[in-house]
Amino acid sequence: MVVLSVPAEVTVILLDIEGTTTPIAFVKDNLFSYIKENVKEYLQTHWEEEECQQDVNLLRKQAEEDSHLDGAVPIPAASGNGSDGLQQMIQAVVDNVFWQMSLDRKTTALKQLQGHMWRVAFTAGHIKAEFFEDVVPAVRKWREAGLKVYIYSSGSVEAQKLLFGHSTEGNILELFDGHFDTKIGHKVESESYRKIANSIGCSTNNILFLTDVTVEASAAEEAGVHVAVVVRPGNAGLTDDEKTYYNLITSFSELYLPTST
């Protein structure tokens, strides 16, 4: 087993979700498929609710910002054209969501709606989150060693909490000290990691970030964060240069804590 020693100054482990704690297949085949199959019905059912209207308004604002992009789908403003106008607007929102998802967009507007839809699915027991088998034992071990553990994902904080609160391992939210999403900044921007360190109250070199995405690892490293790239089944392949440059692990159990005896 490959062993990667955690630098002595590290007091915080920052975890990505998709491809790191959770199989990409679960995210794509379960979570994203649920959105595509249910978004129209969800909008029709919840349209009059304030939360749904806030989601739609945020998506409309994002659509305006995206208007210069090829294939961008506009969302018209509310009109008084009765049920036909309503159905046209709902369809525009559906088309916009499908367009954003086809490009794997990470916009706050999209993630917010998805989070609210997943809340319905998780609380009803339609979906239970899945984690790689090494994840929960490792996180427990880190915490016992005095480390803090945080999540940083493109998915909204609400969606993250649903994931860890309704899983095949039960409710494991207590294992995490906090959550970050794109509201603090995008994962490919180094400034996001400085903001996270500031929010936690530590230096960037006190953080070890585990992710499967090398462009995120690069951004974190640029901010002074320690990184390790997680290689999991179903993840995108790495170039030879990336394999040489980055510390790689295939399981959280491969991390060695200097405080371990």
Side-chain angles (χ1 to χ4, degrees):
M1 179 175 67
V2 176
V3 174
L4 176 63
S5 186
V6 176
E9 69 261 33
V10 167
T11 57
V12 173
I13 307 284
L14 183 64
L15 299 174
D16 167 53
I17 295 179
E18 183 181 348
T20 299
T21 65
T22 299
I24 285 178
F26 170 78
V27 176
K28 290 200 165 21
D29 298 344
N30 294 60
L31 294 184
F32 288 171
S33 291
Y34 178 85
I35 299 297
K36 291 176 181 176
E37 292 167 9
N38 293 278
V39 62
K40 188 169 187 175
E41 181 185 351
Y42 176 87
L43 291 168
Q44 289 172 332
T45 302
H46 299 276
W47 188 262
E48 299 298 331
E49 297 169 16
E50 182 180 353
E51 182 181 80
C52 186
Q53 282 303 303
Q54 289 173 348
D55 292 345
V56 171
N57 287 336
L58 206 57
L59 283 164
R60 183 181 291 114
K61 183 179 177 183
Q62 183 64 52
E64 290 169 0
E65 294 175 11
D66 292 340
S67 60
H68 64 287
L69 299 176
D70 285 343
V73 179
I75 299 174
S79 65
N81 292 342
S83 61
D84 286 348
L86 174 60
Q87 290 307 313
Q88 287 175 359
M89 193 182 309
I90 288 175
Q91 189 59 51
V93 176
V94 171
D95 291 344
N96 180 276
V97 167
F98 273 49
W99 173 71
Q100 289 202 60
M101 291 182 70
S102 72
L103 298 175
D104 197 23
R105 301 287 301 286
K106 310 292 187 185
T107 63
T108 298
L110 176 63
K111 295 302 176 182
Q112 181 170 299
L113 174 65
Q114 289 174 333
H116 291 153
M117 288 185 63
W118 286 328
R119 182 180 61 206
V120 172
F122 277 111
T123 54
H126 297 319
I127 301 177
K128 285 188 183 296
E130 299 171 11
F131 306 110
F132 291 107
E133 62 182 6
D134 56 276
V135 170
V136 174
V139 173
R140 291 190 193 280
K141 182 180 177 182
W142 299 338
R143 291 183 63 83
E144 288 168 6
L147 293 173
K148 292 186 175 183
V149 185
Y150 289 82
I151 300 294
Y152 182 28
S153 172
S154 304
S156 67
V157 166
E158 182 179 13
Q160 296 173 32
K161 290 181 176 180
L162 287 168
L163 204 70
F164 292 102
H166 303 81
S167 78
T168 53
E169 303 276 346
N171 183 342
I172 58 170
L173 275 171
E174 65 180 16
L175 296 181
F176 303 97
D177 293 277
H179 301 257
F180 299 98
D181 59 19
T182 54
K183 287 182 179 176
I184 204 157
H186 288 283
K187 296 171 75 180
V188 297
E189 297 170 355
S190 59
E191 184 61 24
S192 303
Y193 299 89
R194 297 186 187 96
K195 289 179 179 177
I196 286 173
N198 187 58
S199 176
I200 293 172
C202 67
S203 298
T204 52
N205 71 340
N206 297 137
I207 300 174
L208 171 62
F209 179 45
L210 304 183
T211 179
D212 63 308
V213 181
T214 54
V215 68
E216 295 174 1
S218 177
E221 197 173 55
E222 189 179 320
V225 171
H226 297 280
V227 299
V229 173
V230 185
V231 179
R232 299 286 200 182
N235 286 7
L238 302 176
T239 66
D240 288 341
D241 285 346
E242 288 170 338
K243 290 176 184 176
T244 303
Y245 180 79
Y246 290 105
N247 290 316
L248 308 179
I249 59 171
T250 60
S251 166
F252 287 2
S253 63
E254 294 171 5
L255 289 179
Y256 172 76
L257 305 180
T259 52
S260 301
T261 55

